Amino acid sequence: MGSPRELESTIADVIFSKGESKISLNDLTSVASPAETRDAIQRLKILGYPLHLSRAGIIERLPFSPIDVKQLSAGLTTERIGRRIEWRLHVRSTQDELKKLTNEIDDGTVLVAETQYAGRGRLKRSWFSAVGGIWMSILLRPTWPRSHQILTLAFAAAAARAIGDVTGLSSVLKWPNDLMIGSRKVAGSLAEATYQGSRLDHLVIGLGVNVNIKTVRFPKTFRKASTSLSHEVGREVDRAQLTKKILEEMDSSYQRFEMGRTSELLDEARRLCSTLGREVRIATSERNFVGHAVGLGDDGQLQVRLRNGAMIPFYAADVVHLR
Ligand code: BTN
Protein backbone atom coordinates (compact mmCIF):
# COMPACT_ATOMS: atom_id res chain seq x y z
CA MET A 1 0.00 0.00 0.00
CA GLY A 2 1.42 3.41 -0.97
CA SER A 3 1.41 6.63 1.09
CA PRO A 4 -1.54 9.03 0.59
CA ARG A 5 0.66 11.22 -1.66
CA GLU A 6 1.76 8.25 -3.77
CA LEU A 7 -1.83 7.18 -4.14
CA GLU A 8 -2.83 10.66 -5.35
CA SER A 9 -0.02 10.55 -7.89
CA THR A 10 -1.08 7.09 -9.05
CA ILE A 11 -4.69 8.14 -9.54
CA ALA A 12 -3.80 11.42 -11.24
CA ASP A 13 -1.38 9.57 -13.45
CA VAL A 14 -3.75 6.77 -14.42
CA ILE A 15 -6.55 9.17 -15.22
CA PHE A 16 -4.80 12.20 -16.66
CA SER A 17 -1.48 10.99 -18.11
CA LYS A 18 -2.33 7.54 -19.34
CA GLY A 19 -5.58 8.54 -20.95
CA GLU A 20 -8.04 6.36 -18.99
CA SER A 21 -11.16 8.48 -18.80
CA LYS A 22 -12.88 6.25 -16.24
CA ILE A 23 -11.66 3.92 -13.57
CA SER A 24 -13.47 2.11 -10.80
CA LEU A 25 -12.53 2.34 -7.13
CA ASN A 26 -12.37 -1.46 -7.26
CA ASP A 27 -9.58 -1.30 -9.85
CA LEU A 28 -7.41 0.43 -7.27
CA THR A 29 -7.89 -1.98 -4.36
CA SER A 30 -4.40 -3.38 -4.94
CA VAL A 31 -2.98 0.07 -4.08
CA ALA A 32 -5.50 1.36 -1.53
CA SER A 33 -8.84 0.79 0.11
CA PRO A 34 -11.90 2.53 -1.39
CA ALA A 35 -11.95 4.93 1.61
CA GLU A 36 -8.31 5.90 1.03
CA THR A 37 -8.98 6.37 -2.66
CA ARG A 38 -11.96 8.61 -1.89
CA ASP A 39 -9.70 10.77 0.34
CA ALA A 40 -7.09 10.97 -2.40
CA ILE A 41 -9.71 12.07 -4.92
CA GLN A 42 -10.91 14.74 -2.51
CA ARG A 43 -7.37 16.13 -2.30
CA LEU A 44 -6.93 16.05 -6.06
CA LYS A 45 -10.19 17.95 -6.42
CA ILE A 46 -8.90 20.61 -4.00
CA LEU A 47 -5.92 20.94 -6.32
CA GLY A 48 -8.38 21.61 -9.12
CA TYR A 49 -8.31 18.29 -10.97
CA PRO A 50 -11.58 17.94 -12.85
CA LEU A 51 -12.67 14.59 -11.41
CA HIS A 52 -16.04 13.14 -10.61
CA LEU A 53 -16.64 10.19 -8.32
CA SER A 54 -20.03 8.58 -8.78
CA ARG A 55 -22.01 6.78 -6.07
CA ALA A 56 -21.27 3.58 -7.91
CA GLY A 57 -17.56 4.21 -7.29
CA ILE A 58 -16.56 5.24 -10.82
CA ILE A 59 -13.90 7.96 -11.05
CA GLU A 60 -14.36 9.99 -14.20
CA ARG A 61 -12.10 12.53 -15.88
CA LEU A 62 -13.71 15.77 -17.06
CA PRO A 63 -12.08 18.02 -19.71
CA PHE A 64 -8.52 18.93 -18.77
CA SER A 65 -5.93 20.92 -20.76
CA PRO A 66 -2.39 20.38 -19.56
CA ILE A 67 0.39 22.60 -20.89
CA ASP A 68 1.29 21.26 -24.31
CA VAL A 69 5.08 21.11 -24.23
CA LYS A 70 5.31 20.49 -27.99
CA GLN A 71 3.32 23.65 -28.63
CA LEU A 72 5.47 25.41 -26.06
CA SER A 73 8.75 24.34 -27.64
CA ALA A 74 7.62 25.13 -31.17
CA GLY A 75 9.15 28.38 -32.22
CA LEU A 76 10.82 29.03 -28.86
CA THR A 77 13.55 31.48 -29.80
CA THR A 78 15.79 31.03 -26.77
CA GLU A 79 19.54 30.37 -26.77
CA ARG A 80 19.85 28.50 -23.49
CA ILE A 81 16.69 28.45 -21.42
CA GLY A 82 14.14 25.86 -22.46
CA ARG A 83 16.20 24.06 -25.11
CA ARG A 84 15.00 21.01 -23.18
CA ILE A 85 11.65 21.06 -21.40
CA GLU A 86 10.43 18.24 -19.18
CA TRP A 87 6.75 17.97 -18.29
CA ARG A 88 5.26 16.19 -15.29
CA LEU A 89 1.70 15.87 -14.10
CA HIS A 90 1.81 15.74 -10.31
CA VAL A 91 5.09 16.13 -8.42
CA ARG A 92 6.20 16.87 -4.91
CA SER A 93 8.01 20.01 -6.07
CA THR A 94 9.46 20.87 -9.48
CA GLN A 95 12.63 21.91 -7.60
CA ASP A 96 13.13 18.35 -6.30
CA GLU A 97 12.08 16.74 -9.57
CA LEU A 98 14.59 18.80 -11.57
CA LYS A 99 17.35 18.17 -9.04
CA LYS A 100 16.96 14.42 -9.61
CA LEU A 101 18.16 15.07 -13.18
CA THR A 102 21.07 17.39 -12.32
CA ASN A 103 23.81 15.03 -13.50
CA GLU A 104 22.28 14.41 -16.89
CA ILE A 105 20.93 17.78 -17.97
CA ASP A 106 22.37 20.92 -19.49
CA ASP A 107 22.25 24.51 -18.42
CA GLY A 108 18.81 25.95 -19.13
CA THR A 109 16.77 22.74 -18.79
CA VAL A 110 13.23 23.47 -17.60
CA LEU A 111 10.81 21.23 -15.76
CA VAL A 112 7.12 22.17 -15.72
CA ALA A 113 4.41 20.43 -13.70
CA GLU A 114 0.64 20.75 -13.64
CA THR A 115 0.47 20.48 -9.84
CA GLN A 116 2.78 20.13 -6.87
CA TYR A 117 1.67 18.46 -3.67
CA ALA A 118 4.50 19.94 -1.60
CA GLY A 119 5.46 23.08 -3.52
CA ARG A 120 7.67 25.30 -1.42
CA GLY A 121 8.37 28.99 -1.15
CA ARG A 122 11.09 30.96 0.55
CA LEU A 123 11.70 30.57 4.26
CA LYS A 124 10.32 27.02 4.22
CA ARG A 125 6.80 28.22 3.50
CA SER A 126 4.47 26.00 1.56
CA TRP A 127 3.33 27.09 -1.90
CA PHE A 128 -0.19 26.23 -3.08
CA SER A 129 0.13 24.76 -6.57
CA ALA A 130 -3.25 23.92 -8.03
CA VAL A 131 -4.19 23.01 -11.59
CA GLY A 132 -4.12 26.16 -13.73
CA GLY A 133 -0.86 27.71 -12.53
CA ILE A 134 2.61 27.73 -14.03
CA TRP A 135 4.93 25.79 -11.73
CA MET A 136 8.41 25.40 -13.14
CA SER A 137 12.05 25.09 -12.26
CA ILE A 138 15.10 25.89 -14.36
CA LEU A 139 18.60 24.50 -13.96
CA LEU A 140 21.36 27.04 -14.49
CA ARG A 141 25.11 26.69 -14.47
CA PRO A 142 26.14 30.34 -14.60
CA THR A 143 29.76 31.00 -15.46
CA TRP A 144 29.69 34.65 -14.40
CA PRO A 145 30.88 34.69 -10.80
CA ARG A 146 28.38 37.20 -9.42
CA SER A 147 25.75 36.82 -6.77
CA HIS A 148 22.79 34.75 -7.84
CA GLN A 149 20.58 37.26 -6.05
CA ILE A 150 20.93 39.45 -9.15
CA LEU A 151 19.73 36.60 -11.32
CA THR A 152 16.73 36.00 -9.07
CA LEU A 153 15.77 39.67 -9.31
CA ALA A 154 16.36 39.68 -13.05
CA PHE A 155 14.13 36.63 -13.50
CA ALA A 156 11.35 38.21 -11.46
CA ALA A 157 11.60 41.26 -13.72
CA ALA A 158 11.56 38.95 -16.77
CA ALA A 159 8.37 37.28 -15.50
CA ALA A 160 6.78 40.71 -14.94
CA ARG A 161 7.59 41.74 -18.53
CA ALA A 162 6.11 38.50 -19.86
CA ILE A 163 2.95 38.90 -17.78
CA GLY A 164 2.58 42.47 -19.04
CA ASP A 165 3.11 41.39 -22.62
CA VAL A 166 0.64 38.49 -22.58
CA THR A 167 -2.09 39.92 -20.33
CA GLY A 168 -1.56 43.69 -20.33
CA LEU A 169 -1.35 43.60 -16.51
CA SER A 170 1.28 45.59 -14.61
CA SER A 171 2.92 43.84 -11.73
CA VAL A 172 5.59 45.15 -9.37
CA LEU A 173 8.38 43.50 -7.47
CA LYS A 174 8.24 43.28 -3.71
CA TRP A 175 11.84 42.61 -2.72
CA PRO A 176 13.27 40.06 -3.03
CA ASN A 177 11.08 37.89 -5.23
CA ASP A 178 7.34 38.48 -5.00
CA LEU A 179 5.42 39.78 -8.01
CA MET A 180 2.45 41.77 -6.83
CA ILE A 181 -0.64 43.16 -8.46
CA GLY A 182 -1.79 45.86 -6.08
CA SER A 183 -1.25 44.40 -2.63
CA ARG A 184 -1.73 40.78 -3.69
CA LYS A 185 0.88 38.29 -4.74
CA VAL A 186 0.55 36.74 -8.17
CA ALA A 187 3.94 35.06 -8.55
CA GLY A 188 7.03 34.14 -6.59
CA SER A 189 10.47 32.77 -7.31
CA LEU A 190 12.87 30.66 -5.34
CA ALA A 191 16.60 30.15 -5.98
CA GLU A 192 18.39 27.13 -4.53
CA ALA A 193 22.15 27.02 -5.00
CA THR A 194 24.51 24.05 -4.85
CA TYR A 195 28.20 24.71 -4.22
CA GLN A 196 31.34 22.65 -4.81
CA GLY A 197 33.51 24.00 -2.03
CA SER A 198 33.19 27.77 -2.42
CA ARG A 199 32.36 27.56 -6.16
CA LEU A 200 28.75 27.75 -7.32
CA ASP A 201 28.05 24.51 -9.17
CA HIS A 202 24.46 25.10 -10.20
CA LEU A 203 21.30 26.95 -9.36
CA VAL A 204 17.74 25.72 -9.50
CA ILE A 205 15.42 28.67 -9.92
CA GLY A 206 11.74 27.97 -9.39
CA LEU A 207 8.94 30.19 -10.56
CA GLY A 208 5.30 29.90 -9.58
CA VAL A 209 2.64 32.01 -11.30
CA ASN A 210 -1.02 31.92 -10.28
CA VAL A 211 -2.49 31.98 -13.77
CA ASN A 212 -5.96 30.44 -14.10
CA ILE A 213 -6.84 29.86 -10.48
CA LYS A 214 -10.13 30.95 -8.98
CA THR A 215 -9.30 32.93 -5.86
CA VAL A 216 -11.78 30.88 -3.78
CA ARG A 217 -9.51 27.92 -4.41
CA PHE A 218 -6.63 29.44 -2.48
CA PRO A 219 -6.38 28.05 1.05
CA LYS A 220 -7.86 30.52 3.56
CA THR A 221 -4.42 31.44 4.92
CA PHE A 222 -3.29 32.73 1.47
CA ARG A 223 -6.59 34.03 0.15
CA LYS A 224 -6.38 37.67 1.24
CA ALA A 225 -2.82 38.08 0.13
CA SER A 226 -2.98 36.22 -3.21
CA THR A 227 -4.45 36.79 -6.61
CA SER A 228 -4.34 35.17 -10.04
CA LEU A 229 -3.95 36.55 -13.54
CA SER A 230 -7.35 35.22 -14.63
CA HIS A 231 -8.97 36.96 -11.67
CA GLU A 232 -7.27 40.26 -12.49
CA VAL A 233 -7.85 40.20 -16.22
CA GLY A 234 -11.31 38.61 -16.17
CA ARG A 235 -10.54 35.78 -18.58
CA GLU A 236 -8.46 32.63 -18.84
CA VAL A 237 -4.85 33.18 -19.89
CA ASP A 238 -3.06 30.86 -22.33
CA ARG A 239 -0.51 29.16 -20.08
CA ALA A 240 1.65 27.79 -22.90
CA GLN A 241 1.90 31.25 -24.48
CA LEU A 242 2.76 32.84 -21.14
CA THR A 243 5.33 30.15 -20.26
CA LYS A 244 6.98 30.61 -23.66
CA LYS A 245 7.17 34.38 -23.17
CA ILE A 246 8.57 33.98 -19.64
CA LEU A 247 11.29 31.62 -20.90
CA GLU A 248 12.20 34.06 -23.69
CA GLU A 249 12.42 37.00 -21.31
CA MET A 250 14.46 34.94 -18.82
CA ASP A 251 16.78 33.83 -21.60
CA SER A 252 17.44 37.43 -22.55
CA SER A 253 18.19 38.30 -18.90
CA TYR A 254 20.42 35.24 -18.49
CA GLN A 255 22.46 36.13 -21.55
CA ARG A 256 22.93 39.66 -20.30
CA PHE A 257 23.92 38.30 -16.87
CA GLU A 258 26.50 36.03 -18.46
CA MET A 259 27.89 38.98 -20.45
CA GLY A 260 28.37 40.87 -17.20
CA ARG A 261 25.62 43.40 -17.90
CA THR A 262 24.45 43.19 -14.31
CA SER A 263 24.05 46.93 -13.72
CA GLU A 264 21.48 47.00 -16.52
CA LEU A 265 19.59 44.08 -14.91
CA LEU A 266 19.72 45.74 -11.52
CA ASP A 267 18.38 49.00 -12.97
CA GLU A 268 15.42 47.07 -14.41
CA ALA A 269 14.78 45.50 -11.01
CA ARG A 270 15.06 48.91 -9.30
CA ARG A 271 12.46 50.40 -11.64
CA LEU A 272 10.07 47.56 -10.87
CA CYS A 273 10.71 47.35 -7.13
CA SER A 274 7.81 48.74 -5.13
CA THR A 275 9.73 48.20 -1.87
CA LEU A 276 12.05 51.13 -2.61
CA GLY A 277 11.04 54.39 -1.00
CA ARG A 278 8.86 52.70 1.63
CA GLU A 279 8.88 52.24 5.37
CA VAL A 280 9.53 48.55 5.87
CA ARG A 281 9.71 45.99 8.61
CA ILE A 282 12.43 43.46 7.95
CA ALA A 283 12.47 40.10 9.67
CA THR A 284 15.73 38.16 9.60
CA SER A 285 16.32 34.86 11.40
CA GLU A 286 17.86 36.86 14.29
CA ARG A 287 15.65 39.91 14.75
CA ASN A 288 13.28 42.50 13.29
CA PHE A 289 14.24 45.94 11.95
CA VAL A 290 12.17 48.94 10.92
CA GLY A 291 13.49 51.49 8.47
CA HIS A 292 13.28 53.14 5.09
CA ALA A 293 14.16 51.07 2.00
CA VAL A 294 16.43 53.32 -0.01
CA GLY A 295 18.03 51.18 -2.69
CA LEU A 296 19.25 47.93 -4.18
CA GLY A 297 22.99 47.39 -3.94
CA ASP A 298 25.27 45.91 -6.58
CA ASP A 299 24.53 42.36 -5.44
CA GLY A 300 20.79 42.91 -5.26
CA GLN A 301 20.81 43.48 -1.51
CA LEU A 302 18.13 45.75 -0.04
CA GLN A 303 19.65 48.84 1.56
CA VAL A 304 17.66 50.09 4.52
CA ARG A 305 18.20 53.24 6.58
CA LEU A 306 17.15 52.41 10.12
CA ARG A 307 15.46 54.97 12.36
CA ASN A 308 18.75 55.56 14.17
CA GLY A 309 20.34 56.54 10.83
CA ALA A 310 22.39 53.36 10.33
CA MET A 311 22.39 51.92 6.82
CA ILE A 312 22.04 48.13 6.73
CA PRO A 313 22.22 45.87 3.68
CA PHE A 314 19.89 42.85 3.73
CA TYR A 315 20.72 39.88 1.54
CA ALA A 316 17.91 37.55 2.63
CA ALA A 317 14.96 38.55 4.74
CA ASP A 318 11.22 38.80 4.91
CA VAL A 319 9.85 42.27 4.22
CA VAL A 320 6.57 43.90 5.19
CA HIS A 321 5.64 47.19 3.53
CA LEU A 322 4.45 49.51 6.31
CA ARG A 323 3.73 52.67 4.34
C1 BTN B 1 8.00 32.39 -2.76
O1 BTN B 1 7.29 33.31 -3.15
O2 BTN B 1 8.25 32.22 -1.57
C2 BTN B 1 8.60 31.50 -3.80
C3 BTN B 1 7.58 30.61 -4.45
C4 BTN B 1 8.18 29.69 -5.47
C5 BTN B 1 7.19 28.67 -5.99
C6 BTN B 1 7.76 27.90 -7.13
S1 BTN B 1 6.53 26.92 -7.93
C7 BTN B 1 7.74 26.08 -8.83
C8 BTN B 1 8.91 25.84 -7.90
N1 BTN B 1 8.72 24.62 -7.15
C9 BTN B 1 8.56 24.84 -5.85
O3 BTN B 1 8.38 23.96 -4.98
N2 BTN B 1 8.63 26.15 -5.60
C10 BTN B 1 8.87 26.91 -6.80
Side-chain angles (χ1 to χ4, degrees), residues 93-95 116 118-122 127 129 134-137 177-178 185 187-190 206-208:
S93 153
T94 55
Q95 298 287 99
Q116 305 180 109
R120 58 175 179 272
R122 289 173 61 242
W127 179 263
S129 319
I134 293 175
W135 322 123
M136 66 180 176
S137 298
N177 63 349
D178 295 346
K185 179 160 167 170
S189 62
L190 173 71
L207 177 75

Side-chain angles (χ1 to χ4, degrees), residues 287-308:
R287 54 172 284 205
N288 288 350
F289 299 84
V290 174
H292 193 73
V294 292
L296 292 183
D298 288 349
D299 286 318
Q301 70 275 33
L302 185 68
Q303 295 160 322
V304 178
R305 179 171 294 115
L306 302 186
R307 285 178 177 162
N308 65 9

Side-chain angles (χ1 to χ4, degrees), residues 275-290:
T275 306
L276 301 183
R278 285 184 189 258
E279 278 293 298
V280 288
R281 187 171 61 240
I282 309 263
T284 67
S285 48
E286 285 96 48
R287 54 172 284 205
N288 288 350
F289 299 84
V290 174

Side-chain angles (χ1 to χ4, degrees), residues 96 108 114 144 183 235 246 250-251 278 287 303 308:
D96 300 340
E114 295 299 322
W144 177 253
S183 59
R235 63 173 166 84
I246 291 173
M250 284 181 170
D251 192 64
R278 285 184 189 258
R287 54 172 284 205
Q303 295 160 322
N308 65 9

Side-chain angles (χ1 to χ4, degrees), residues 34 53 111 144 151 169 182 190 201 212 220 255 279:
L53 175 59
L111 189 138
W144 177 253
L151 207 45
L169 291 166
L190 173 71
D201 186 70
N212 299 319
K220 279 205 180 98
Q255 286 185 49
E279 278 293 298

